[in-house]
């Protein structure tokens, strides 16, 4: 490993670091595995009506089956990313995909809530770190001018995966039972895990850490790493903002099938299909807003974070009005779809900003810090919090109240926009 060569790669943002063919093959595999990740993660939400009927579960318990994955992903994201940066991204992702696929298959054999909850936790263990490590690969293999667009597309794959998971789960459960749904999505993930071994990795970058702490203990090394990771306030602001927005997103993803089933009288299968269209709008929105961010950021980098201030507020208003106003079912659904198109505006843009303020040698870890925050304080909170509100009042109340978190997200994106350019410049200066 030659540090000079690695620095040249890190500071050549306008070129591909491998051939275009290999880079785009890598992106295709990263995209497909992100879909598999969220198929396995979100398939459970279309099975809520079946589980509620068979096992008599409360909404809080149902929400816990979604939240447990985000909690495990959050806890393990930073350690896994550190290992990936040390031992290689491709090998790490192969192991991750194998674990989450086998754990999904094991859900078929659960005989009670505790067993299913444990199996879902192992799914989360496998998915730990995938988003951050995959982001680092994209960031390293492609020119900087494509980063926000491709990261938006990468995280849009989570929406596409969630769509397939919800639709497949609903259809398969109606015809062959909810257990068969887990097997149908778990086995393809194992095949994709093997194919991922053909993806090119990038070499590690030597990370020079100032010896500000005179100790060789692991804790001291970790403190030096975190100091090098981000030297300004932007990382914290992005993590807080992203977490609040993910509370909204995870609530809509998790509870929309149940809402349509209970309040619009749809069958579980039809509710899953209509809810999947909302998630599909989110996938298209993630790619669209990533494309917009790349363009508004050309004149001034911070413009893309300012854009998020407006889109998060619009999302919150649309959802709150949709679940509060006395609208017809069709009018309400149309408003929900418009809100869904903007609710995922932050996913690719936030990560691209995080990577801009992170040393190239710690890309996976930088993305993992962000992933830790949005999983533990965002994706894990939304389904469970909504379930608690639903048990106390109603699911209608939960769907109307929770979107208000988007206003808080907007405030912190604004704060991040004020320091983003300075922090990115500081990182760039330390590479020379």
């Amino acid at each position: 490993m030659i540090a000079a060569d690695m620095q040249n790669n890190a500071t050549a943002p306008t070129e591909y670091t491998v051939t275009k063919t290999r880079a785009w093959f890598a992106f295709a595999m990263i995209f497909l595995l992100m879909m598999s990740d969220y198929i396995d993660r979100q398939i459970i939400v279309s099975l809520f009506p079946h589980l509620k009927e068979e096992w008599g579960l409360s909404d809080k318990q149902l929400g816990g089956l979604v939240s447990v994955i985000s909690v495990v992903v959050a806890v393990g994201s930073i350690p896994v990313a550190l290992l990936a940066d040390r031992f290689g991204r491709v090998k790490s992702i192969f192991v991750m995909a194998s674990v989450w696929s086998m754990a999904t298959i094991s859900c078929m054999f659960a005989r009670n809530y505790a067993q299913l909850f444990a199996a879902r936790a192992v799914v989360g263990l496998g998915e730990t770190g995938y988003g951050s490590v995959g982001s680092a690969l994209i960031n390293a293999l492609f020119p900087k001018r494509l980063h926000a667009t491709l990261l938006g597309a990468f995280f849009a794959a989570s929406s596409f995966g969630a769509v397939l998971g919800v639709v497949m789960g609903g259809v398969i459960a109606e015809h062959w039972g909810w257990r068969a749904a887990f097997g149908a999505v778990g086995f393809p993930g194992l095949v994709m895990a093997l194919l991922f071994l053909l993806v090119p990795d990038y070499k590690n970058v030597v990370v020079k850490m100032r010896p500000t702490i005179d100790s060789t203990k692991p804790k001291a090394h970790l403190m030096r790493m975190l100091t090098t990771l981000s030297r300004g306030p932007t990382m914290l602001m992005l993590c807080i903002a992203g977490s609040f927005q993910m509370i909204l997103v995870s609530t809509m993803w998790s509870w929309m099938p149940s809402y349509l089933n209970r309040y619009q009288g749809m069958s579980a299968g039809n509710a899953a299909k209509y809810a999947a269209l909302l998630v599909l709008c989110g996938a298209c929105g993630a790619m669209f807003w990533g494309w917009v961010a790349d363009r508004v950021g050309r004149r001034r980098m911070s413009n893309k974070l300012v854009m998020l201030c407006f889109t998060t507020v619009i999302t919150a208003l649309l959802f709150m009005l949709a679940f509060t106003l006395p609208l017809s079912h069709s009018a309400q659904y149309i408003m929900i779809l418009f809100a869904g198109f903007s609710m995922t505006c932050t996913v690719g843009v936030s990560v691209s900003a995080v990577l801009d303020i992170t040393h190239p040698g710690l890309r996976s870890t930088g993305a993992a810090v962000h992933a830790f925050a949005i999983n533990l304080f965002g994706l894990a909170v939304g389904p469970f919090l909504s379930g608690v509100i639903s048990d106390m009042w109603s699911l209608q109340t939960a769907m109307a109240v929770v979107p208000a978190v988007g206003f808080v997200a907007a405030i912190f994106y604004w704060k991040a926009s004020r320091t983003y350019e300075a922090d990115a410049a500081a990182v760039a200066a330390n590479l020379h």
Side-chain angles (χ1 to χ4, degrees), residues 22-78:
R22 297 191 73 200
W24 284 105
F25 170 75
F27 179 76
M29 291 305 306
I30 293 168
F31 185 93
L32 289 173
L33 268 185
M34 188 60 146
M35 287 180 61
S36 172
D37 181 325
Y38 272 79
I39 287 172
D40 293 1
R41 183 185 292 211
Q42 290 298 123
I43 192 171
I44 193 75
V45 304
S46 62
L47 308 181
F48 278 0
H50 301 280
L51 293 169
K52 193 175 185 71
E53 180 181 358
E54 183 171 333
W55 289 346
L57 303 180
S58 68
D59 284 351
K60 181 173 69 175
Q61 288 175 308
L62 292 172
L65 293 172
V66 180
S67 295
V68 64
I69 288 184
S70 298
V71 171
V72 174
V73 168
V75 171
S77 59
I78 296 176

Coordinates of all heavy atoms in Angstrom, one line a residue, residues 22-78:
R22 N -16.1 -1.5 -15.1 CA -16.1 -2.1 -13.8 C -16.8 -1.2 -12.7 O -17.4 -1.7 -11.8 CB -14.6 -2.3 -13.4 CG -13.8 -3.3 -14.3 CD -12.5 -3.6 -13.6 NE -12.7 -4.5 -12.5 CZ -11.8 -4.7 -11.5 NH1 -10.7 -4.0 -11.5 NH2 -12.0 -5.5 -10.5
A23 N -16.7 0.1 -12.9 CA -17.3 1.0 -12.0 C -18.8 0.8 -12.0 O -19.5 0.7 -11.0 CB -16.9 2.4 -12.2
W24 N -19.4 0.8 -13.2 CA -20.8 0.7 -13.4 C -21.3 -0.7 -13.0 O -22.5 -0.9 -12.5 CB -21.3 1.1 -14.8 CG -21.2 2.6 -14.9 CD1 -20.3 3.3 -15.6 CD2 -22.1 3.5 -14.4 NE1 -20.6 4.6 -15.5 CE2 -21.7 4.8 -14.8 CE3 -23.3 3.4 -13.6 CZ2 -22.4 6.0 -14.4 CZ3 -23.9 4.6 -13.2 CH2 -23.5 5.8 -13.6
F25 N -20.5 -1.8 -13.2 CA -20.9 -3.1 -12.7 C -20.9 -3.1 -11.2 O -21.9 -3.6 -10.6 CB -19.9 -4.1 -13.2 CG -20.0 -5.5 -12.5 CD1 -21.1 -6.3 -12.9 CD2 -19.2 -5.9 -11.5 CE1 -21.3 -7.6 -12.2 CE2 -19.4 -7.1 -10.8 CZ -20.4 -7.9 -11.2
A26 N -20.0 -2.4 -10.6 CA -20.0 -2.3 -9.1 C -21.2 -1.6 -8.6 O -21.9 -2.0 -7.7 CB -18.7 -1.5 -8.7
F27 N -21.6 -0.5 -9.3 CA -22.8 0.3 -8.9 C -24.0 -0.6 -9.0 O -24.9 -0.6 -8.2 CB -22.9 1.5 -9.7 CG -24.2 2.3 -9.4 CD1 -24.2 3.1 -8.2 CD2 -25.3 2.3 -10.1 CE1 -25.3 3.8 -7.8 CE2 -26.5 2.9 -9.8 CZ -26.5 3.7 -8.6
A28 N -24.1 -1.4 -10.1 CA -25.3 -2.2 -10.3 C -25.4 -3.2 -9.2 O -26.5 -3.5 -8.6 CB -25.2 -3.0 -11.6
M29 N -24.3 -3.8 -8.8 CA -24.3 -4.8 -7.7 C -24.6 -4.2 -6.3 O -25.4 -4.7 -5.5 CB -23.0 -5.6 -7.6 CG -22.7 -6.5 -8.8 SD -24.1 -7.7 -9.0 CE -24.2 -8.5 -7.4
I30 N -24.0 -3.0 -6.1 CA -24.3 -2.2 -4.9 C -25.8 -1.9 -4.8 O -26.4 -2.0 -3.7 CB -23.4 -1.0 -4.8 CG1 -22.0 -1.4 -4.6 CG2 -23.8 -0.1 -3.6 CD1 -21.0 -0.2 -4.9
F31 N -26.3 -1.4 -5.9 CA -27.8 -1.1 -6.0 C -28.6 -2.3 -5.7 O -29.6 -2.2 -5.0 CB -28.0 -0.5 -7.4 CG -29.4 0.0 -7.6 CD1 -29.7 1.4 -7.4 CD2 -30.5 -0.8 -8.0 CE1 -31.0 1.9 -7.6 CE2 -31.7 -0.3 -8.2 CZ -32.0 1.0 -8.0
L32 N -28.4 -3.4 -6.4 CA -29.2 -4.6 -6.2 C -29.1 -5.1 -4.8 O -30.2 -5.6 -4.2 CB -28.7 -5.7 -7.2 CG -29.0 -5.5 -8.6 CD1 -28.4 -6.6 -9.5 CD2 -30.6 -5.5 -8.9
L33 N -28.0 -5.1 -4.1 CA -27.9 -5.5 -2.8 C -28.6 -4.6 -1.8 O -29.1 -5.0 -0.8 CB -26.4 -5.7 -2.3 CG -25.9 -7.1 -2.5 CD1 -24.5 -7.2 -2.0 CD2 -26.8 -8.2 -1.9
M34 N -28.6 -3.3 -2.1 CA -29.4 -2.4 -1.3 C -30.9 -2.7 -1.4 O -31.6 -2.6 -0.4 CB -29.1 -0.9 -1.8 CG -29.7 0.1 -0.9 SD -29.1 0.0 0.8 CE -29.1 1.8 1.3
M35 N -31.3 -3.1 -2.6 CA -32.7 -3.5 -2.8 C -33.0 -4.7 -1.9 O -34.0 -4.8 -1.2 CB -33.0 -3.8 -4.3 CG -33.1 -2.6 -5.1 SD -33.5 -3.0 -6.9 CE -35.1 -3.8 -6.7
S36 N -32.1 -5.7 -2.0 CA -32.2 -6.9 -1.2 C -32.3 -6.6 0.3 O -33.1 -7.2 1.1 CB -31.1 -7.9 -1.5 OG -31.1 -9.0 -0.6
D37 N -31.4 -5.7 0.7 CA -31.4 -5.2 2.1 C -32.8 -4.8 2.6 O -33.3 -5.2 3.6 CB -30.4 -4.1 2.2 CG -30.2 -3.5 3.6 OD1 -31.2 -3.5 4.4 OD2 -29.1 -3.1 3.9
Y38 N -33.4 -3.9 1.8 CA -34.7 -3.3 2.2 C -35.9 -4.2 1.9 O -36.9 -4.1 2.5 CB -34.8 -1.9 1.6 CG -34.2 -0.9 2.5 CD1 -32.8 -0.7 2.6 CD2 -35.0 -0.2 3.4 CE1 -32.2 0.2 3.4 CE2 -34.4 0.7 4.3 CZ -33.0 0.9 4.3 OH -32.4 1.8 5.2
I39 N -35.7 -5.1 0.9 CA -36.8 -6.1 0.7 C -36.9 -6.9 2.0 O -38.0 -7.1 2.6 CB -36.5 -7.0 -0.5 CG1 -36.7 -6.3 -1.8 CG2 -37.4 -8.3 -0.4 CD1 -36.2 -7.1 -3.0
D40 N -35.8 -7.4 2.5 CA -35.8 -8.2 3.7 C -36.2 -7.4 5.0 O -36.8 -7.9 5.9 CB -34.4 -8.8 3.9 CG -34.0 -9.8 2.9 OD1 -34.8 -10.0 1.9 OD2 -32.9 -10.4 2.9
R41 N -35.8 -6.1 5.0 CA -36.1 -5.3 6.1 C -37.6 -4.9 6.2 O -38.2 -5.0 7.2 CB -35.3 -4.0 6.1 CG -35.5 -3.1 7.3 CD -34.7 -1.8 7.1 NE -33.3 -1.9 7.2 CZ -32.5 -1.0 7.7 NH1 -33.0 0.1 8.2 NH2 -31.2 -1.2 7.7
Q42 N -38.2 -4.6 5.0 CA -39.5 -4.0 5.0 C -40.6 -5.0 4.7 O -41.8 -4.7 4.8 CB -39.6 -2.9 3.9 CG -38.8 -1.6 4.3 CD -39.4 -1.0 5.6 OE1 -38.6 -0.8 6.6 NE2 -40.6 -0.7 5.6
I43 N -40.3 -6.2 4.3 CA -41.4 -7.2 4.0 C -42.3 -7.4 5.2 O -43.5 -7.7 5.0 CB -40.7 -8.5 3.5 CG1 -41.8 -9.4 2.9 CG2 -40.0 -9.3 4.6 CD1 -41.3 -10.6 2.2
I44 N -41.8 -7.2 6.3 CA -42.6 -7.5 7.6 C -43.8 -6.6 7.6 O -44.9 -7.0 8.2 CB -41.7 -7.3 8.8 CG1 -42.4 -7.9 10.1 CG2 -41.4 -5.8 9.0 CD1 -42.3 -9.4 10.1
V45 N -43.8 -5.4 7.1 CA -44.9 -4.4 7.3 C -46.1 -4.9 6.6 O -47.2 -4.6 7.0 CB -44.5 -3.0 6.9 CG1 -43.3 -2.5 7.6 CG2 -44.3 -2.9 5.4
S46 N -46.0 -5.6 5.5 CA -47.2 -6.1 4.8 C -47.7 -7.3 5.4 O -48.9 -7.7 5.1 CB -46.8 -6.4 3.3 OG -45.8 -7.4 3.2
L47 N -47.0 -7.9 6.4 CA -47.4 -9.0 7.1 C -48.1 -8.7 8.4 O -48.6 -9.6 9.2 CB -46.3 -10.0 7.3 CG -45.4 -10.4 6.1 CD1 -44.3 -11.3 6.5 CD2 -46.3 -11.0 5.0
F48 N -48.1 -7.4 8.8 CA -48.6 -6.9 10.1 C -50.1 -7.5 10.3 O -50.4 -8.0 11.4 CB -48.6 -5.4 10.2 CG -47.3 -4.8 10.6 CD1 -46.2 -5.6 10.9 CD2 -47.2 -3.5 10.7 CE1 -45.0 -5.1 11.3 CE2 -45.9 -2.9 11.1 CZ -44.9 -3.7 11.4
P49 N -51.0 -7.3 9.3 CA -52.4 -7.8 9.5 C -52.4 -9.3 9.8 O -53.2 -9.7 10.7 CB -53.1 -7.4 8.2 CG -52.3 -6.3 7.7 CD -50.9 -6.6 8.0
H50 N -51.6 -10.1 9.2 CA -51.6 -11.5 9.4 C -51.0 -11.8 10.8 O -51.6 -12.7 11.5 CB -50.7 -12.2 8.3 CG -51.2 -11.9 6.9 ND1 -52.3 -12.6 6.3 CD2 -50.8 -11.0 6.0 CE1 -52.5 -12.2 5.1 NE2 -51.6 -11.2 4.9
L51 N -49.9 -11.2 11.2 CA -49.3 -11.4 12.5 C -50.3 -11.0 13.6 O -50.4 -11.6 14.6 CB -48.0 -10.7 12.6 CG -46.9 -11.3 11.7 CD1 -45.7 -10.3 11.7 CD2 -46.5 -12.6 12.1
K52 N -50.9 -9.8 13.4 CA -51.9 -9.3 14.4 C -53.0 -10.3 14.6 O -53.4 -10.6 15.7 CB -52.4 -8.0 14.0 CG -53.1 -7.2 15.1 CD -53.5 -5.8 14.6 CE -54.1 -4.9 15.7 NZ -53.1 -4.5 16.7
E53 N -53.5 -10.9 13.5 CA -54.6 -11.8 13.6 C -54.2 -13.1 14.2 O -54.9 -13.7 15.1 CB -55.2 -12.1 12.2 CG -56.4 -13.0 12.2 CD -56.9 -13.3 10.8 OE1 -56.4 -12.6 9.8 OE2 -57.8 -14.1 10.6
E54 N -53.0 -13.7 13.8 CA -52.6 -15.0 14.3 C -52.1 -15.0 15.7 O -52.3 -15.9 16.5 CB -51.5 -15.5 13.3 CG -51.1 -16.9 13.7 CD -50.2 -17.6 12.6 OE1 -50.3 -17.2 11.4 OE2 -49.3 -18.4 12.9
W55 N -51.3 -13.9 16.0 CA -50.7 -13.9 17.4 C -51.2 -12.9 18.3 O -50.8 -12.8 19.5 CB -49.2 -13.7 17.2 CG -48.4 -14.9 16.6 CD1 -48.9 -16.1 16.5 CD2 -47.1 -14.9 16.1 NE1 -47.9 -17.0 15.9 CE2 -46.8 -16.2 15.7 CE3 -46.1 -13.9 16.0 CZ2 -45.6 -16.6 15.2 CZ3 -44.9 -14.3 15.5 CH2 -44.6 -15.6 15.0
G56 N -52.2 -12.1 17.8 CA -52.8 -11.1 18.7 C -51.8 -10.0 19.2 O -51.9 -9.6 20.3
L57 N -51.0 -9.5 18.3 CA -49.9 -8.6 18.7 C -50.5 -7.1 18.8 O -51.4 -6.8 18.0 CB -48.8 -8.6 17.7 CG -48.1 -10.0 17.5 CD1 -47.0 -9.8 16.5 CD2 -47.6 -10.5 18.8
S58 N -49.9 -6.3 19.6 CA -50.3 -4.9 19.7 C -49.5 -4.1 18.6 O -48.5 -4.7 18.0 CB -49.9 -4.3 21.1 OG -48.5 -4.3 21.3
D59 N -49.9 -2.9 18.3 CA -49.2 -2.1 17.4 C -47.7 -1.8 17.9 O -46.8 -1.7 17.0 CB -49.9 -0.8 17.1 CG -51.1 -1.0 16.2 OD1 -51.3 -2.1 15.7 OD2 -51.9 0.0 16.1
K60 N -47.6 -1.7 19.2 CA -46.2 -1.4 19.7 C -45.3 -2.6 19.4 O -44.2 -2.5 19.0 CB -46.3 -1.2 21.2 CG -44.9 -0.9 21.9 CD -45.1 -0.5 23.3 CE -45.6 -1.7 24.2 NZ -45.6 -1.3 25.6
Q61 N -45.8 -3.8 19.6 CA -45.1 -5.0 19.2 C -44.7 -5.1 17.8 O -43.6 -5.5 17.4 CB -45.8 -6.3 19.7 CG -45.9 -6.5 21.2 CD -46.7 -7.7 21.6 OE1 -47.9 -7.8 21.2 NE2 -46.2 -8.5 22.4
L62 N -45.7 -4.8 16.9 CA -45.5 -4.8 15.5 C -44.4 -3.8 15.1 O -43.5 -4.1 14.3 CB -46.8 -4.6 14.7 CG -47.9 -5.6 14.9 CD1 -49.2 -5.1 14.2 CD2 -47.5 -6.9 14.2
G63 N -44.5 -2.6 15.6 CA -43.5 -1.6 15.3 C -42.1 -2.0 15.8 O -41.1 -1.7 15.2
G64 N -42.1 -2.8 16.9 CA -40.8 -3.3 17.4 C -40.1 -4.2 16.4 O -38.9 -4.3 16.4
L65 N -40.9 -5.0 15.6 CA -40.3 -5.9 14.6 C -39.5 -5.1 13.5 O -38.6 -5.6 12.8 CB -41.3 -6.8 14.0 CG -42.0 -7.8 14.9 CD1 -43.2 -8.5 14.2 CD2 -40.9 -8.8 15.4
V66 N -39.9 -3.8 13.3 CA -39.2 -3.0 12.3 C -38.1 -2.3 13.0 O -37.0 -2.2 12.6 CB -40.2 -2.0 11.7 CG1 -39.4 -1.1 10.7 CG2 -41.3 -2.7 11.0
S67 N -38.4 -1.7 14.2 CA -37.4 -0.9 14.9 C -36.2 -1.7 15.4 O -35.0 -1.1 15.4 CB -38.0 -0.2 16.1 OG -39.1 0.7 15.7
V68 N -36.3 -2.9 15.7 CA -35.2 -3.7 16.2 C -34.0 -3.8 15.2 O -32.9 -3.7 15.5 CB -35.6 -5.2 16.6 CG1 -36.1 -6.0 15.4 CG2 -34.4 -5.9 17.3
I69 N -34.4 -3.8 13.9 CA -33.3 -3.8 12.9 C -32.6 -2.5 12.9 O -31.3 -2.5 12.8 CB -33.9 -4.1 11.5 CG1 -34.4 -5.5 11.4 CG2 -32.9 -3.8 10.4 CD1 -35.0 -5.9 10.0
S70 N -33.2 -1.4 13.0 CA -32.6 -0.1 13.0 C -31.7 0.1 14.2 O -30.6 0.7 14.1 CB -33.6 1.0 12.9 OG -34.3 0.9 11.7
V71 N -32.1 -0.5 15.3 CA -31.3 -0.4 16.6 C -30.0 -1.2 16.4 O -28.9 -0.7 16.7 CB -32.1 -0.9 17.8 CG1 -31.2 -1.0 19.0 CG2 -33.3 0.0 18.1
V72 N -30.1 -2.4 15.9 CA -28.9 -3.2 15.7 C -28.0 -2.6 14.7 O -26.8 -2.6 14.9 CB -29.3 -4.7 15.3 CG1 -28.1 -5.5 15.0 CG2 -30.2 -5.3 16.4
V73 N -28.6 -2.1 13.6 CA -27.8 -1.5 12.6 C -27.0 -0.3 13.1 O -25.8 -0.1 12.8 CB -28.7 -1.0 11.4 CG1 -27.9 -0.1 10.4 CG2 -29.1 -2.3 10.6
A74 N -27.7 0.5 14.0 CA -27.1 1.7 14.5 C -25.9 1.3 15.5 O -24.8 1.9 15.4 CB -28.1 2.5 15.3
V75 N -26.2 0.4 16.3 CA -25.1 0.0 17.3 C -23.9 -0.6 16.6 O -22.8 -0.3 17.0 CB -25.7 -1.1 18.3 CG1 -24.6 -1.6 19.2 CG2 -26.8 -0.4 19.2
G76 N -24.1 -1.3 15.5 CA -22.9 -2.0 14.9 C -22.3 -1.2 13.7 O -21.3 -1.6 13.2
S77 N -23.0 -0.1 13.3 CA -22.5 0.5 12.1 C -21.1 1.0 12.1 O -20.3 0.8 11.2 CB -23.5 1.7 11.7 OG -23.5 2.6 12.8
I78 N -20.7 1.7 13.2 CA -19.4 2.2 13.2 C -18.3 1.2 13.4 O -17.3 1.2 12.6 CB -19.2 3.3 14.4 CG1 -20.2 4.5 14.1 CG2 -17.8 3.7 14.5 CD1 -20.2 5.5 15.2

